[in-house]
Amino acid sequence: MFARIRESWNRSRAARRTERKAGGEPRSHNLFEAAAAYVSACAEDDQDRIDEATGWVSPEALSFGVNELACRAVIALARERDESPRDVARSLLGLPAT
């Protein structure tokens, strides 16, 4: 029971974290900023930045943002390569083409 309370508190606290704008006003991160920071930190294997990005939004919001980023990236690569999104996704994962 206490683990659930602690987890809920940590999510609530993470959701309230903000950065300061140039003028000193607080600014919240949105889920797409968190997803971009998280994915780029994972690609660079930067655990400190990964931890920071995971605290900006809830795990559910981060998951949605990462999924949206993946979809957009696959679509952009498919257009660039003039291939189907399915073929590009399979290629990125090292799977044989269908």
Side-chain angles (χ1 to χ4, degrees):
M1 181 167 122
F2 288 114
R4 286 185 193 169
I5 294 170
R6 184 176 25 246
E7 180 181 331
S8 177
W9 172 255
N10 286 338
R11 269 190 273 149
S12 170
R13 190 178 70 193
R16 292 188 306 264
R17 288 184 187 164
T18 58
E19 276 192 353
R20 299 284 174 188
K21 291 182 183 177
E25 301 171 27
R27 183 186 73 78
S28 297
H29 294 283
N30 70 39
L31 65 100
F32 297 115
E33 288 176 316
Y38 178 80
V39 170
S40 63
C42 287
E44 296 170 357
D45 198 28
D46 185 342
Q47 189 61 46
D48 291 335
R49 286 181 41 223
I50 291 170
D51 294 340
E52 180 183 3
T54 58
W56 290 352
V57 295
S58 71
E60 296 83 8
L62 183 61
S63 177
F64 175 80
V66 168
N67 182 60
E68 185 66 21
L69 178 60
C71 289
R72 291 180 187 195
V74 167
I75 289 169
L77 280 172
R79 288 180 182 156
E80 184 179 292
R81 296 178 181 182
D82 197 28
E83 296 178 14
S84 74
R86 174 187 284 177
D87 290 342
V88 170
R90 294 182 66 82
S91 171
L92 290 171
L93 293 171
L95 300 171
T98 57

